[in-house]
Amino acid sequence: MSDRTASENRRESAVPRAREESVTGERTDPASTSTVLLWEKVLERSNLQRAVKQVRQNKGAPGIDGMSVDALPDFLRQNWPAIRDQLEAGQYRPQPVRRVRIPKADGRERLLGIPTVLDRFIQQAVAQVVSAQWDPHFHPRSYGFRPGKSAHQALKRLQADIRAGGQWTVDLDLAAFFDRVNHDRLMRRLKDHVPDRRLLRLINRFLTAGVMDGDHWSPTNAGVPQGGPLSPVLANVVLDELDWELERRGHRFVRYADDCQILVRSQRAGERVMNSIKRFVEDSLRLEVNTRKSAVDRPWYRQFLGFTVTRGDHRLKVSPKALDRLKTRLRVLTRRTRGHRLADVVADWRDYLLGWKAYFGIAEVPSPLREIDKWLRRRLRCYLWKQWGRSGYRQLRRRGVSVRDAWQTSKSAHGPWRLSHTPALYRALPARYFADLGLPSLVAR
């Protein structure tokens, strides 16, 4: 064996490094790479290093084996050669995903399937290669889970289509999309740009690995379990067929994952489009349209990715549902930190609020955000008033409130929430006080 061949063998069988290296973000042009090499690309050292890094960044709960993401690097150092041999021999068997139920705002539950950390790592390595092969062929109006695409771009595209005359929207919602994807159709479509049989076999095994719900195992004969790195890529492969059908029919549309808005000029046209697309989705894609959530309506009465638009000038505005979810989340955080110092409560809110602002900061209507800022401060005034208890009078006087106002407030029969809106609490705890504690403002500055 030559020195060069031995070196290459050692390099290809090496354990993927745990240290974090920068990802270039460059996509391989499929026209310049033979699809015969796809399997080799999955197992390339650089691809595996990116996969390790991404899985660790995504964090997430353990699967059925209990392994955490932090334990992955050491596990791979010790076991990767044997795992690689199983993959090469076609003998690797993914473990079932762990069923997790996430409550939804409407009282129902979203079902997630959490793969083991090892399976997440292998899925990520596969997803990176499949995405690079498929992404150049996806429709440009598909924005979900794609390199260089974002929800903000989807919102701007929708806004432009509305301003261009799309005064009615066909708001298309797919019922339990991730649970109903037809495996046979998905695998046939995957072959268009991923003809590597070993890679397809492995993907199919991930799809059919089953679900562990407590101690009960169930087979997965349909669907793409939400929670794994492969799911978003495979969802785009399925719905890409819908995108190009809409293109063929000449529609203006925006799709982000399974959320799709089709813009038309009249209600009559919208109803016609809804009926015809519903038939296509059910007959061709073998999916189901959620008639309870789908509708033909004015864009300013619908929400998309947490936003809506104003009626006159079609500015982006945070939807009422998104604001309600924010309030609900902060109420939960407040209950969790009950009895803590106010500074601790603000610190507990801060990361969540900054993340929320980073996404919803593109809103062009600031008035709802100003109202939320006021609600946040009132919530904190209420929290602190409860903590003060019998010392409320002294605390108000210490903060410059008059004897009369402090006495009337501390002896009032009204509850804490009502009192948090009184002049005495506003004077004692002004907006500047909370800003000094580190409370972010949601209104962009």
Side-chain angles (χ1 to χ4, degrees), residues 224-237:
V224 180
Q226 287 181 272
L230 258 176
S231 301
V233 181
L234 299 182
N236 276 335
V237 170

Side-chain angles (χ1 to χ4, degrees), residues 159-190:
Q159 183 183 42
D161 286 343
I162 294 170
R163 287 175 170 172
Q167 296 296 291
W168 289 83
T169 183
V170 179
D171 189 349
L172 196 66
D173 184 88
L174 301 180
F177 165 72
F178 284 91
D179 297 329
R180 298 187 178 185
V181 170
N182 183 279
H183 288 173
D184 291 337
R185 293 196 84 261
L186 169 59
M187 297 307 297
R188 284 199 299 270
R189 187 157 177 79
L190 266 177

Side-chain angles (χ1 to χ4, degrees), residues 6 78 80 100 102 105 152 157 177 183 194 201 228 233 242 254 258-259 305 317 401 406 412 419:
Q78 299 174 25
W80 176 245
V100 174
I102 305 298
H152 288 175
R157 178 71 268 172
F177 165 72
H183 288 173
V194 184
R201 187 186 304 116
V233 181
L242 171 63
V254 179
D258 58 336
D259 199 347
L305 302 179
K317 177 182 176 181
V401 178
S412 172
L419 293 177

Side-chain angles (χ1 to χ4, degrees), residues 26 105 110 189 234 241 269 275 287 323 342 383 385 409 428:
E26 297 179 355
R110 174 178 287 109
R189 187 157 177 79
L234 299 182
E241 193 171 350
N275 291 331
L287 297 170
L323 295 174
L342 189 67
Y383 181 89
W385 180 255
T409 303

Side-chain angles (χ1 to χ4, degrees), residues 328 330-339 379 383:
T328 299
L330 294 177
R331 289 189 186 102
V332 171
L333 289 176
T334 306
R335 287 196 295 269
R336 192 177 72 187
T337 54
R338 183 174 295 168
R379 180 103 184 148
Y383 181 89

Side-chain angles (χ1 to χ4, degrees), residues 86-155:
Q86 291 178 23
L87 290 167
E88 291 278 23
Q91 297 174 347
Y92 183 82
R93 298 285 177 178
Q95 297 190 61
V97 298
R98 181 170 65 87
R99 173 67 74 215
V100 174
R101 291 174 169 80
I102 305 298
K104 300 174 71 172
D106 57 6
R108 297 184 300 162
E109 294 179 324
R110 174 178 287 109
L111 300 180
L112 299 184
I114 308 299
T116 65
V117 173
L118 175 60
D119 283 341
R120 292 212 291 272
F121 160 67
I122 297 173
Q123 281 195 36
Q124 182 66 39
V126 171
Q128 289 165 181
V129 172
V130 173
S131 177
Q133 287 297 120
W134 266 90
D135 195 73
H137 305 279
F138 284 144
H139 196 283
R141 285 177 174 261
S142 165
Y143 291 89
F145 310 112
R146 295 182 58 190
K149 300 276 190 176
S150 69
H152 288 175
Q153 291 175 350
L155 289 162

